[in-house]
Amino acid sequence: MTDRVLLDDWHPLARSQDLKPGTLLRSRLMDTDLVLWRGENTAVIAAWEDRCPHRSVRLSGGKVVENTLVCSYHGLAYDPQGHCVNIPAHPNYVPPKQACVKSFKVQERYGVIFVSLGNPPQDVTPFPEWDDPTFRTYLSGAHFCRCSGLRAIENFLDVAHLPFVHAGILGEPDQAVIEDYEVSTSENGIYLHDIRVWQPDPDGTGQAGIASYEYWALRPLTASLRKETVDGNYMVLLYCVTPIGEEECLSWMWGALNYAHDIPEAEMVAFQDKVILQDVANLESHNPKRLPLDLQAEFHLPSDRASLAYRQWLKQLGLKYGAIE
């Protein structure tokens, strides 16, 4: 199923550090097999359909030679633009225009490689705190999950699950009351504010207290939050979900904190990994794994107003991939 809303967006696929010069990676996005590669003498990254246009074998089975990707089947070499530049069996043969690999737009941001299968009208989601030296930053992920990416974003926006799925960290079952909060929807997405939750460890420092939340659903598979604690410390999280297929995804979490400068980055990542893996175990139990956009398909509670707004927004966008209409 094609879906312009997601085809024309940017999706994180791999950490930059995992694609060193002269290497390639096999990947998958929206049921499309991809190969990512970086030449030996250039910082340019190519994102291609994982298919040699000659005999349709996987290019990810080949190798990088200088600034070309060489197919393992007949040794055909392709330059970073996807053009065939060498055919060992016929050194003087001029390749036809069909001898070109299908390529996609690619960017590097926040330590990750983003790819779009379409023509994105906007840039990768801004995260200005990442380059602000007053913030501690970290990246958690990618985490694989067998569910629609839409389910994962809805879960991120759902504060009522915190006392149960993340008991002892982000809430407690005996303090599970969720007071009314505000939801605003515009052409730019969804904004949730005035959310207050008691948490035994709201920021990973081991200190209990009330956390105040603001959430944004910025794009169908991108959301963020700002969480402030009673002492004025706050953190910003950017959450992106990559749709491998309609019922499989990868999740990525970037964190930025204006405190905790003495806590090792590895500890912050371990804390975030723990929280996300708790969500993964819960998300994989969904049946159906795709997100219903018919509001009558599941019943709703007052604390589900974020979920309701999200589903209505997706329906207005005409989104279908990973959803049940």
Side-chain angles (χ1 to χ4, degrees), residues 180-192:
D180 286 345
Y181 57 90
E182 298 296 323
V183 179
S184 305
T185 303
S186 71
E187 66 275 7
N188 298 318
I190 301 167
Y191 173 46
L192 321 178

Side-chain angles (χ1 to χ4, degrees), residues 249-297:
C249 63
L250 297 173
S251 65
W252 308 77
M253 183 81 78
W254 292 265
L257 301 77
N258 71 342
Y259 60 93
H261 294 278
D262 58 334
I263 298 178
E265 180 179 344
E267 289 187 19
M268 295 190 292
V269 172
F271 173 79
Q272 194 66 68
D273 286 348
K274 179 179 180 180
V275 172
I276 291 176
L277 290 174
Q278 289 173 334
D279 281 321
V280 168
N282 184 64
L283 286 167
E284 291 192 336
S285 71
H286 276 298
N287 182 21
K289 295 186 180 299
R290 303 183 193 187
L291 184 69
L293 299 188
D294 178 358
L295 299 186
Q296 304 303 314

Side-chain angles (χ1 to χ4, degrees), residues 32-262:
T32 300
D33 291 320
L34 301 176
V35 59
L36 309 177
W37 67 280
R38 194 193 303 261
E40 293 180 357
N41 305 313
T42 177
V44 175
I45 293 174
W48 293 352
E49 181 182 25
D50 193 6
R51 171 187 170 274
C52 178
H54 173 228
R55 285 296 179 265
S56 301
V57 300
R58 289 187 181 275
L59 286 169
S60 58
K63 60 182 179 180
V64 177
V65 178
E66 297 183 346
N67 292 324
T68 65
L69 178 54
V70 177
C71 179
S72 61
Y73 198 8
H74 297 95
L76 275 65
Y78 298 89
D79 67 14
Q81 289 70 47
H83 301 128
C84 183
V85 293
N86 184 40
I87 302 175
H90 307 283
N92 299 318
Y93 180 74
V94 178
K97 63 179 182 179
Q98 295 92 336
C100 187
V101 184
K102 186 175 182 179
S103 60
F104 303 100
K105 293 180 173 61
V106 59
Q107 291 195 60
E108 282 189 90
R109 296 287 176 84
Y110 324 134
V112 167
I113 299 163
F114 288 79
V115 173
S116 175
L117 298 181
N119 296 296
Q122 51 193 344
D123 203 351
V124 172
T125 303
F127 188 39
E129 292 84 1
W130 186 258
D131 296 314
D132 187 333
T134 65
F135 283 84
R136 290 295 310 279
T137 60
Y138 63 86
L139 169 60
S140 171
H143 299 284
F144 176 75
C145 187
R146 293 180 180 87
C147 76
S148 164
L150 306 176
R151 285 280 197 190
I153 291 292
E154 182 180 73
N155 174 77
F156 179 79
L157 300 173
D158 183 332
V159 293
H161 83 282
L162 299 180
F164 299 96
V165 178
H166 308 297
I169 302 175
L170 300 178
E172 290 290 0
D174 60 356
Q175 298 198 53
V177 174
I178 302 296
E179 303 292 346
D180 286 345
Y181 57 90
E182 298 296 323
V183 179
S184 305
T185 303
S186 71
E187 66 275 7
N188 298 318
I190 301 167
Y191 173 46
L192 321 178
H193 50 103
D194 297 332
I195 302 171
R196 293 171 60 81
V197 182
W198 184 90
Q199 296 179 334
D201 190 8
D203 53 18
T205 63
Q207 300 297 315
I210 298 293
S212 298
Y213 281 89
E214 292 178 285
Y215 284 84
W216 294 264
L218 302 165
R219 297 178 190 175
L221 290 174
T222 303
S224 67
L225 69 77
R226 173 181 165 129
K227 179 165 68 172
E228 186 171 347
T229 55
V230 291
D231 56 7
N233 288 334
Y234 72 92
M235 68 186 304
V236 180
L237 298 180
L238 178 66
Y239 183 58
C240 292
V241 181
T242 305
I244 300 174
E246 292 204 71
E247 297 184 355
E248 292 182 323
C249 63
L250 297 173
S251 65
W252 308 77
M253 183 81 78
W254 292 265
L257 301 77
N258 71 342
Y259 60 93
H261 294 278
D262 58 334

